[in-house]
PDB file of all heavy atoms in Angstrom:
ATOM      1  N   ILE A1344     -63.075  99.849 120.432  1.00 97.00           N
ATOM      2  CA  ILE A1344     -62.429 100.925 119.700  1.00 97.00           C
ATOM      3  C   ILE A1344     -61.970 102.018 120.663  1.00 97.00           C
ATOM      4  O   ILE A1344     -62.444 102.101 121.801  1.00 97.00           O
ATOM      5  CB  ILE A1344     -63.367 101.533 118.627  1.00 97.00           C
ATOM      6  CG1 ILE A1344     -64.571 102.218 119.279  1.00 97.00           C
ATOM      7  CG2 ILE A1344     -63.840 100.459 117.648  1.00 97.00           C
ATOM      8  CD1 ILE A1344     -65.499 102.889 118.293  1.00 97.00           C
ATOM      9  N   ASP A1345     -61.059 102.843 120.191  1.00 97.00           N
ATOM     10  CA  ASP A1345     -60.547 103.970 120.974  1.00 97.00           C
ATOM     11  C   ASP A1345     -61.455 105.171 120.771  1.00 97.00           C
ATOM     12  O   ASP A1345     -61.692 105.592 119.633  1.00 97.00           O
ATOM     13  CB  ASP A1345     -59.118 104.279 120.510  1.00 97.00           C
ATOM     14  CG  ASP A1345     -58.574 105.558 121.131  1.00 97.00           C
ATOM     15  OD1 ASP A1345     -58.725 105.725 122.345  1.00 97.00           O
ATOM     16  OD2 ASP A1345     -58.000 106.378 120.378  1.00 97.00           O
ATOM     17  N   VAL A1346     -61.996 105.715 121.850  1.00 98.00           N
ATOM     18  CA  VAL A1346     -62.871 106.878 121.791  1.00 98.00           C
ATOM     19  C   VAL A1346     -62.199 108.017 122.541  1.00 98.00           C
ATOM     20  O   VAL A1346     -61.876 107.889 123.719  1.00 98.00           O
ATOM     21  CB  VAL A1346     -64.254 106.595 122.415  1.00 98.00           C
ATOM     22  CG1 VAL A1346     -65.149 107.829 122.330  1.00 98.00           C
ATOM     23  CG2 VAL A1346     -64.915 105.408 121.727  1.00 98.00           C
ATOM     24  N   ARG A1347     -61.983 109.130 121.853  1.00 97.00           N
ATOM     25  CA  ARG A1347     -61.325 110.266 122.496  1.00 97.00           C
ATOM     26  C   ARG A1347     -61.857 111.573 121.936  1.00 97.00           C
ATOM     27  O   ARG A1347     -62.550 111.596 120.916  1.00 97.00           O
ATOM     28  CB  ARG A1347     -59.808 110.188 122.307  1.00 97.00           C
ATOM     29  CG  ARG A1347     -59.345 110.309 120.863  1.00 97.00           C
ATOM     30  CD  ARG A1347     -57.817 110.306 120.810  1.00 97.00           C
ATOM     31  NE  ARG A1347     -57.255 109.030 121.240  1.00 97.00           N
ATOM     32  CZ  ARG A1347     -55.986 108.868 121.620  1.00 97.00           C
ATOM     33  NH1 ARG A1347     -55.166 109.917 121.654  1.00 97.00           N
ATOM     34  NH2 ARG A1347     -55.539 107.683 121.955  1.00 97.00           N
ATOM     35  N   ALA A1348     -61.538 112.658 122.628  1.00 98.00           N
ATOM     36  CA  ALA A1348     -61.993 113.988 122.204  1.00 98.00           C
ATOM     37  C   ALA A1348     -60.870 114.987 122.375  1.00 98.00           C
ATOM     38  O   ALA A1348     -60.047 114.864 123.278  1.00 98.00           O
ATOM     39  CB  ALA A1348     -63.219 114.419 123.002  1.00 98.00           C
ATOM     40  N   ALA A1349     -60.835 115.973 121.492  1.00 98.00           N
ATOM     41  CA  ALA A1349     -59.869 117.068 121.564  1.00 98.00           C
ATOM     42  C   ALA A1349     -60.608 118.368 121.287  1.00 98.00           C
ATOM     43  O   ALA A1349     -61.682 118.379 120.680  1.00 98.00           O
ATOM     44  CB  ALA A1349     -58.744 116.866 120.561  1.00 98.00           C
ATOM     45  N   GLU A1350     -60.028 119.484 121.722  1.00 98.00           N
ATOM     46  CA  GLU A1350     -60.662 120.790 121.536  1.00 98.00           C
ATOM     47  C   GLU A1350     -59.736 121.722 120.775  1.00 98.00           C
ATOM     48  O   GLU A1350     -58.521 121.740 121.022  1.00 98.00           O
ATOM     49  CB  GLU A1350     -61.002 121.424 122.887  1.00 98.00           C
ATOM     50  CG  GLU A1350     -61.697 122.781 122.773  1.00 98.00           C
ATOM     51  CD  GLU A1350     -61.805 123.501 124.106  1.00 98.00           C
ATOM     52  OE1 GLU A1350     -61.290 122.972 125.116  1.00 98.00           O
ATOM     53  OE2 GLU A1350     -62.395 124.600 124.132  1.00 98.00           O
ATOM     54  N   ILE A1351     -60.317 122.480 119.840  1.00 98.00           N
ATOM     55  CA  ILE A1351     -59.541 123.480 119.115  1.00 98.00           C
ATOM     56  C   ILE A1351     -59.935 124.875 119.567  1.00 98.00           C
ATOM     57  O   ILE A1351     -60.992 125.076 120.188  1.00 98.00           O
ATOM     58  CB  ILE A1351     -59.733 123.367 117.586  1.00 98.00           C
ATOM     59  CG1 ILE A1351     -61.175 123.721 117.194  1.00 98.00           C
ATOM     60  CG2 ILE A1351     -59.329 121.993 117.078  1.00 98.00           C
ATOM     61  CD1 ILE A1351     -61.355 123.986 115.719  1.00 98.00           C
ATOM     62  N   HIS A1352     -59.093 125.824 119.246  1.00 98.00           N
ATOM     63  CA  HIS A1352     -59.416 127.246 119.416  1.00 98.00           C
ATOM     64  C   HIS A1352     -59.359 127.875 118.043  1.00 98.00           C
ATOM     65  O   HIS A1352     -58.375 127.725 117.310  1.00 98.00           O
ATOM     66  CB  HIS A1352     -58.426 127.933 120.347  1.00 98.00           C
ATOM     67  CG  HIS A1352     -58.640 129.428 120.418  1.00 98.00           C
ATOM     68  ND1 HIS A1352     -57.987 130.326 119.593  1.00 98.00           N
ATOM     69  CD2 HIS A1352     -59.461 130.158 121.208  1.00 98.00           C
ATOM     70  CE1 HIS A1352     -58.389 131.546 119.868  1.00 98.00           C
ATOM     71  NE2 HIS A1352     -59.282 131.482 120.846  1.00 98.00           N
ATOM     72  N   LEU A1353     -60.439 128.570 117.665  1.00 98.00           N
ATOM     73  CA  LEU A1353     -60.542 129.169 116.338  1.00 98.00           C
ATOM     74  C   LEU A1353     -60.572 130.687 116.471  1.00 98.00           C
ATOM     75  O   LEU A1353     -61.375 131.238 117.229  1.00 98.00           O
ATOM     76  CB  LEU A1353     -61.801 128.670 115.635  1.00 98.00           C
ATOM     77  CG  LEU A1353     -62.040 129.120 114.195  1.00 98.00           C
ATOM     78  CD1 LEU A1353     -60.898 128.680 113.281  1.00 98.00           C
ATOM     79  CD2 LEU A1353     -63.365 128.553 113.678  1.00 98.00           C
ATOM     80  N   GLY A1354     -59.687 131.355 115.739  1.00 97.00           N
ATOM     81  CA  GLY A1354     -59.644 132.803 115.774  1.00 97.00           C
ATOM     82  C   GLY A1354     -60.534 133.443 114.736  1.00 97.00           C
ATOM     83  O   GLY A1354     -60.979 132.793 113.784  1.00 97.00           O
ATOM     84  N   GLU A1355     -60.775 134.742 114.873  1.00 97.00           N
ATOM     85  CA  GLU A1355     -61.599 135.460 113.899  1.00 97.00           C
ATOM     86  C   GLU A1355     -60.914 135.573 112.546  1.00 97.00           C
ATOM     87  O   GLU A1355     -61.557 135.908 111.555  1.00 97.00           O
ATOM     88  CB  GLU A1355     -61.947 136.850 114.437  1.00 97.00           C
ATOM     89  CG  GLU A1355     -62.825 136.805 115.677  1.00 97.00           C
ATOM     90  CD  GLU A1355     -63.386 138.170 116.047  1.00 97.00           C
ATOM     91  OE1 GLU A1355     -63.063 139.154 115.340  1.00 97.00           O
ATOM     92  OE2 GLU A1355     -64.153 138.247 117.026  1.00 97.00           O
ATOM     93  N   ASN A1356     -59.622 135.279 112.503  1.00 97.00           N
ATOM     94  CA  ASN A1356     -58.904 135.272 111.226  1.00 97.00           C
ATOM     95  C   ASN A1356     -59.051 133.942 110.496  1.00 97.00           C
ATOM     96  O   ASN A1356     -58.502 133.769 109.405  1.00 97.00           O
ATOM     97  CB  ASN A1356     -57.419 135.577 111.451  1.00 97.00           C
ATOM     98  CG  ASN A1356     -56.762 134.576 112.407  1.00 97.00           C
ATOM     99  OD1 ASN A1356     -57.406 133.643 112.903  1.00 97.00           O
ATOM    100  ND2 ASN A1356     -55.483 134.780 112.672  1.00 97.00           N
ATOM    101  N   GLY A1357     -59.789 132.990 111.089  1.00 98.00           N
ATOM    102  CA  GLY A1357     -60.018 131.703 110.443  1.00 98.00           C
ATOM    103  C   GLY A1357     -58.975 130.648 110.752  1.00 98.00           C
ATOM    104  O   GLY A1357     -59.075 129.527 110.240  1.00 98.00           O
ATOM    105  N   LEU A1358     -57.987 130.966 111.587  1.00 98.00           N
ATOM    106  CA  LEU A1358     -56.926 130.020 111.915  1.00 98.00           C
ATOM    107  C   LEU A1358     -57.261 129.277 113.210  1.00 98.00           C
ATOM    108  O   LEU A1358     -57.671 129.887 114.206  1.00 98.00           O
ATOM    109  CB  LEU A1358     -55.590 130.737 112.062  1.00 98.00           C
ATOM    110  CG  LEU A1358     -55.034 131.402 110.793  1.00 98.00           C
ATOM    111  CD1 LEU A1358     -53.725 132.128 111.110  1.00 98.00           C
ATOM    112  CD2 LEU A1358     -54.822 130.362 109.687  1.00 98.00           C
ATOM    113  N   ALA A1359     -57.062 127.960 113.184  1.00 98.00           N
ATOM    114  CA  ALA A1359     -57.340 127.117 114.339  1.00 98.00           C
ATOM    115  C   ALA A1359     -56.047 126.597 114.936  1.00 98.00           C
ATOM    116  O   ALA A1359     -55.100 126.255 114.218  1.00 98.00           O
ATOM    117  CB  ALA A1359     -58.228 125.948 113.947  1.00 98.00           C
ATOM    118  N   THR A1360     -56.022 126.525 116.258  1.00 98.00           N
ATOM    119  CA  THR A1360     -54.905 125.919 116.985  1.00 98.00           C
ATOM    120  C   THR A1360     -55.477 124.875 117.941  1.00 98.00           C
ATOM    121  O   THR A1360     -56.685 124.858 118.221  1.00 98.00           O
ATOM    122  CB  THR A1360     -54.103 126.959 117.781  1.00 98.00           C
ATOM    123  OG1 THR A1360     -54.995 127.659 118.666  1.00 98.00           O
ATOM    124  CG2 THR A1360     -53.433 127.956 116.842  1.00 98.00           C
ATOM    125  N   LEU A1361     -54.622 124.012 118.448  1.00 97.00           N
ATOM    126  CA  LEU A1361     -55.059 122.983 119.383  1.00 97.00           C
ATOM    127  C   LEU A1361     -55.151 123.571 120.785  1.00 97.00           C
ATOM    128  O   LEU A1361     -54.170 124.080 121.329  1.00 97.00           O
ATOM    129  CB  LEU A1361     -54.068 121.806 119.367  1.00 97.00           C
ATOM    130  CG  LEU A1361     -54.444 120.606 120.243  1.00 97.00           C
ATOM    131  CD1 LEU A1361     -55.739 119.974 119.767  1.00 97.00           C
ATOM    132  CD2 LEU A1361     -53.317 119.585 120.249  1.00 97.00           C
ATOM    133  N   ALA A1362     -56.345 123.511 121.382  1.00 97.00           N
ATOM    134  CA  ALA A1362     -56.541 124.001 122.742  1.00 97.00           C
ATOM    135  C   ALA A1362     -56.226 122.909 123.761  1.00 97.00           C
ATOM    136  O   ALA A1362     -55.536 123.148 124.747  1.00 97.00           O
ATOM    137  CB  ALA A1362     -57.976 124.492 122.928  1.00 97.00           C
ATOM    138  N   ARG A1363     -56.760 121.708 123.531  1.00 96.00           N
ATOM    139  CA  ARG A1363     -56.481 120.561 124.403  1.00 96.00           C
ATOM    140  C   ARG A1363     -56.484 119.298 123.552  1.00 96.00           C
ATOM    141  O   ARG A1363     -57.394 119.081 122.744  1.00 96.00           O
ATOM    142  CB  ARG A1363     -57.547 120.431 125.497  1.00 96.00           C
ATOM    143  CG  ARG A1363     -57.426 121.435 126.636  1.00 96.00           C
ATOM    144  CD  ARG A1363     -58.473 121.148 127.696  1.00 96.00           C
ATOM    145  NE  ARG A1363     -59.815 121.379 127.192  1.00 96.00           N
ATOM    146  CZ  ARG A1363     -60.924 120.992 127.838  1.00 96.00           C
ATOM    147  NH1 ARG A1363     -60.832 120.323 128.974  1.00 96.00           N
ATOM    148  NH2 ARG A1363     -62.105 121.270 127.338  1.00 96.00           N
ATOM    149  N   ASP A1364     -55.471 118.461 123.747  1.00 94.00           N
ATOM    150  CA  ASP A1364     -55.401 117.231 122.967  1.00 94.00           C
ATOM    151  C   ASP A1364     -56.201 116.107 123.607  1.00 94.00           C
ATOM    152  O   ASP A1364     -56.396 115.050 122.989  1.00 94.00           O
ATOM    153  CB  ASP A1364     -53.951 116.775 122.799  1.00 94.00           C
ATOM    154  CG  ASP A1364     -53.297 116.441 124.125  1.00 94.00           C
ATOM    155  OD1 ASP A1364     -53.300 117.312 125.004  1.00 94.00           O
ATOM    156  OD2 ASP A1364     -52.787 115.313 124.260  1.00 94.00           O
ATOM    157  N   GLU A1365     -56.731 116.304 124.817  1.00 96.00           N
ATOM    158  CA  GLU A1365     -57.487 115.255 125.488  1.00 96.00           C
ATOM    159  C   GLU A1365     -58.575 115.865 126.359  1.00 96.00           C
ATOM    160  O   GLU A1365     -58.294 116.556 127.349  1.00 96.00           O
ATOM    161  CB  GLU A1365     -56.568 114.394 126.355  1.00 96.00           C
ATOM    162  CG  GLU A1365     -57.175 113.071 126.782  1.00 96.00           C
ATOM    163  CD  GLU A1365     -57.309 112.064 125.657  1.00 96.00           C
ATOM    164  OE1 GLU A1365     -56.361 111.922 124.862  1.00 96.00           O
ATOM    165  OE2 GLU A1365     -58.370 111.421 125.559  1.00 96.00           O
ATOM    166  N   VAL A1366     -59.830 115.633 125.974  1.00 98.00           N
ATOM    167  CA  VAL A1366     -60.996 116.030 126.766  1.00 98.00           C
ATOM    168  C   VAL A1366     -61.675 114.747 127.227  1.00 98.00           C
ATOM    169  O   VAL A1366     -61.917 113.855 126.415  1.00 98.00           O
ATOM    170  CB  VAL A1366     -61.978 116.891 125.943  1.00 98.00           C
ATOM    171  CG1 VAL A1366     -63.226 117.220 126.759  1.00 98.00           C
ATOM    172  CG2 VAL A1366     -61.302 118.169 125.458  1.00 98.00           C
ATOM    173  N   PRO A1367     -62.004 114.598 128.513  1.00 98.00           N
ATOM    174  CA  PRO A1367     -62.630 113.356 128.985  1.00 98.00           C
ATOM    175  C   PRO A1367     -63.928 113.046 128.252  1.00 98.00           C
ATOM    176  O   PRO A1367     -64.748 113.940 128.002  1.00 98.00           O
ATOM    177  CB  PRO A1367     -62.884 113.643 130.475  1.00 98.00           C
ATOM    178  CG  PRO A1367     -61.888 114.691 130.845  1.00 98.00           C
ATOM    179  CD  PRO A1367     -61.731 115.545 129.619  1.00 98.00           C
ATOM    180  N   VAL A1368     -64.114 111.771 127.903  1.00 98.00           N
ATOM    181  CA  VAL A1368     -65.351 111.298 127.276  1.00 98.00           C
ATOM    182  C   VAL A1368     -66.098 110.458 128.304  1.00 98.00           C
ATOM    183  O   VAL A1368     -65.572 109.463 128.811  1.00 98.00           O
ATOM    184  CB  VAL A1368     -65.056 110.465 126.013  1.00 98.00           C
ATOM    185  CG1 VAL A1368     -66.364 109.936 125.414  1.00 98.00           C
ATOM    186  CG2 VAL A1368     -64.301 111.302 124.991  1.00 98.00           C
ATOM    187  N   ASP A1369     -67.323 110.854 128.622  1.00 97.00           N
ATOM    188  CA  ASP A1369     -68.133 110.201 129.648  1.00 97.00           C
ATOM    189  C   ASP A1369     -69.181 109.315 128.976  1.00 97.00           C
ATOM    190  O   ASP A1369     -70.129 109.817 128.376  1.00 97.00           O
ATOM    191  CB  ASP A1369     -68.802 111.267 130.522  1.00 97.00           C
ATOM    192  CG  ASP A1369     -69.587 110.677 131.689  1.00 97.00           C
ATOM    193  OD1 ASP A1369     -69.768 109.448 131.738  1.00 97.00           O
ATOM    194  OD2 ASP A1369     -70.018 111.454 132.558  1.00 97.00           O
ATOM    195  N   LEU A1370     -69.006 108.005 129.095  1.00 96.00           N
ATOM    196  CA  LEU A1370     -69.922 107.058 128.462  1.00 96.00           C
ATOM    197  C   LEU A1370     -70.840 106.392 129.479  1.00 96.00           C
ATOM    198  O   LEU A1370     -71.414 105.338 129.210  1.00 96.00           O
ATOM    199  CB  LEU A1370     -69.119 105.990 127.708  1.00 96.00           C
ATOM    200  CG  LEU A1370     -68.190 106.506 126.612  1.00 96.00           C
ATOM    201  CD1 LEU A1370     -67.454 105.352 125.945  1.00 96.00           C
ATOM    202  CD2 LEU A1370     -68.959 107.308 125.569  1.00 96.00           C
ATOM    203  N   SER A1371     -71.010 107.005 130.640  1.00 94.00           N
ATOM    204  CA  SER A1371     -71.789 106.379 131.707  1.00 94.00           C
ATOM    205  C   SER A1371     -73.299 106.462 131.500  1.00 94.00           C
ATOM    206  O   SER A1371     -74.061 105.877 132.277  1.00 94.00           O
ATOM    207  CB  SER A1371     -71.432 107.027 133.055  1.00 94.00           C
ATOM    208  OG  SER A1371     -71.792 108.407 133.075  1.00 94.00           O
ATOM    209  N   TYR A1372     -73.741 107.180 130.469  1.00 94.00           N
ATOM    210  CA  TYR A1372     -75.171 107.356 130.255  1.00 94.00           C
ATOM    211  C   TYR A1372     -75.764 106.402 129.227  1.00 94.00           C
ATOM    212  O   TYR A1372     -76.916 106.540 128.826  1.00 94.00           O
ATOM    213  CB  TYR A1372     -75.463 108.801 129.835  1.00 94.00           C
ATOM    214  CG  TYR A1372     -75.084 109.813 130.880  1.00 94.00           C
ATOM    215  CD1 TYR A1372     -73.848 110.450 130.838  1.00 94.00           C
ATOM    216  CD2 TYR A1372     -75.938 110.106 131.934  1.00 94.00           C
ATOM    217  CE1 TYR A1372     -73.480 111.360 131.815  1.00 94.00           C
ATOM    218  CE2 TYR A1372     -75.586 111.013 132.915  1.00 94.00           C
ATOM    219  CZ  TYR A1372     -74.352 111.631 132.847  1.00 94.00           C
ATOM    220  OH  TYR A1372     -73.990 112.526 133.820  1.00 94.00           O
ATOM    221  N   GLY A1373     -74.988 105.411 128.788  1.00 93.00           N
ATOM    222  CA  GLY A1373     -75.486 104.482 127.789  1.00 93.00           C
ATOM    223  C   GLY A1373     -76.701 103.714 128.263  1.00 93.00           C
ATOM    224  O   GLY A1373     -77.657 103.504 127.505  1.00 93.00           O
ATOM    225  N   SER A1374     -76.707 103.307 129.523  1.00 94.00           N
ATOM    226  CA  SER A1374     -77.842 102.551 130.056  1.00 94.00           C
ATOM    227  C   SER A1374     -79.109 103.401 130.078  1.00 94.00           C
ATOM    228  O   SER A1374     -80.184 102.957 129.665  1.00 94.00           O
ATOM    229  CB  SER A1374     -77.515 102.060 131.468  1.00 94.00           C
ATOM    230  OG  SER A1374     -78.640 101.418 132.050  1.00 94.00           O
ATOM    231  N   LEU A1375     -78.997 104.650 130.539  1.00 95.00           N
ATOM    232  CA  LEU A1375     -80.153 105.544 130.568  1.00 95.00           C
ATOM    233  C   LEU A1375     -80.671 105.796 129.157  1.00 95.00           C
ATOM    234  O   LEU A1375     -81.887 105.803 128.935  1.00 95.00           O
ATOM    235  CB  LEU A1375     -79.775 106.864 131.240  1.00 95.00           C
ATOM    236  CG  LEU A1375     -80.841 107.964 131.226  1.00 95.00           C
ATOM    237  CD1 LEU A1375     -82.127 107.499 131.896  1.00 95.00           C
ATOM    238  CD2 LEU A1375     -80.319 109.229 131.896  1.00 95.00           C
ATOM    239  N   ALA A1376     -79.763 105.986 128.209  1.00 95.00           N
ATOM    240  CA  ALA A1376     -80.188 106.238 126.827  1.00 95.00           C
ATOM    241  C   ALA A1376     -81.006 105.076 126.282  1.00 95.00           C
ATOM    242  O   ALA A1376     -81.933 105.270 125.491  1.00 95.00           O
ATOM    243  CB  ALA A1376     -78.965 106.484 125.953  1.00 95.00           C
ATOM    244  N   GLY A1377     -80.689 103.857 126.714  1.00 95.00           N
ATOM    245  CA  GLY A1377     -81.402 102.689 126.222  1.00 95.00           C
ATOM    246  C   GLY A1377     -82.723 102.423 126.917  1.00 95.00           C
ATOM    247  O   GLY A1377     -83.499 101.578 126.471  1.00 95.00           O
ATOM    248  N   GLN A1378     -83.008 103.153 127.999  1.00 96.00           N
ATOM    249  CA  GLN A1378     -84.240 102.914 128.763  1.00 96.00           C
ATOM    250  C   GLN A1378     -85.445 103.649 128.193  1.00 96.00           C
ATOM    251  O   GLN A1378     -86.582 103.372 128.587  1.00 96.00           O
ATOM    252  CB  GLN A1378     -84.029 103.320 130.220  1.00 96.00           C
ATOM    253  CG  GLN A1378     -83.044 102.439 130.965  1.00 96.00           C
ATOM    254  CD  GLN A1378     -82.760 102.954 132.364  1.00 96.00           C
ATOM    255  OE1 GLN A1378     -83.592 103.631 132.981  1.00 96.00           O
ATOM    256  NE2 GLN A1378     -81.574 102.667 132.877  1.00 96.00           N
ATOM    257  N   ASP A1379     -85.232 104.611 127.304  1.00 96.00           N
ATOM    258  CA  ASP A1379     -86.320 105.347 126.666  1.00 96.00           C
ATOM    259  C   ASP A1379     -87.267 105.944 127.705  1.00 96.00           C
ATOM    260  O   ASP A1379     -88.478 105.729 127.674  1.00 96.00           O
ATOM    261  CB  ASP A1379     -87.084 104.425 125.702  1.00 96.00           C
ATOM    262  CG  ASP A1379     -87.985 105.193 124.750  1.00 96.00           C
ATOM    263  OD1 ASP A1379     -87.730 106.398 124.537  1.00 96.00           O
ATOM    264  OD2 ASP A1379     -88.941 104.594 124.212  1.00 96.00           O
ATOM    265  N   ARG A1380     -86.693 106.715 128.638  1.00 96.00           N
ATOM    266  CA  ARG A1380     -87.486 107.338 129.694  1.00 96.00           C
ATOM    267  C   ARG A1380     -87.023 108.770 129.890  1.00 96.00           C
ATOM    268  O   ARG A1380     -85.907 109.133 129.533  1.00 96.00           O
ATOM    269  CB  ARG A1380     -87.332 106.566 131.008  1.00 96.00           C
ATOM    270  CG  ARG A1380     -85.909 106.540 131.529  1.00 96.00           C
ATOM    271  CD  ARG A1380     -85.748 105.704 132.781  1.00 96.00           C
ATOM    272  NE  ARG A1380     -86.406 106.308 133.934  1.00 96.00           N
ATOM    273  CZ  ARG A1380     -86.175 105.923 135.196  1.00 96.00           C
ATOM    274  NH1 ARG A1380     -85.331 104.926 135.445  1.00 96.00           N
ATOM    275  NH2 ARG A1380     -86.796 106.517 136.188  1.00 96.00           N
ATOM    276  N   GLY A1381     -87.904 109.582 130.470  1.00 97.00           N
ATOM    277  CA  GLY A1381     -87.533 110.958 130.741  1.00 97.00           C
ATOM    278  C   GLY A1381     -88.728 111.886 130.707  1.00 97.00           C
ATOM    279  O   GLY A1381     -89.872 111.471 130.907  1.00 97.00           O
TER     280      GLY A1381
END
Side-chain angles (χ1 to χ4, degrees):
I1344 65 177
D1345 172 47
V1346 180
R1347 65 177 66 198
E1350 181 190 3
I1351 66 165
H1352 173 268
L1353 184 60
E1355 295 191 359
N1356 58 0
L1358 295 178
T1360 56
L1361 184 63
R1363 284 184 294 168
D1364 63 305
E1365 196 71 44
V1366 176
V1368 178
D1369 184 351
L1370 301 180
S1371 64
Y1372 298 95
S1374 175
L1375 174 58
Q1378 293 174 27
D1379 195 22
R1380 62 184 291 195

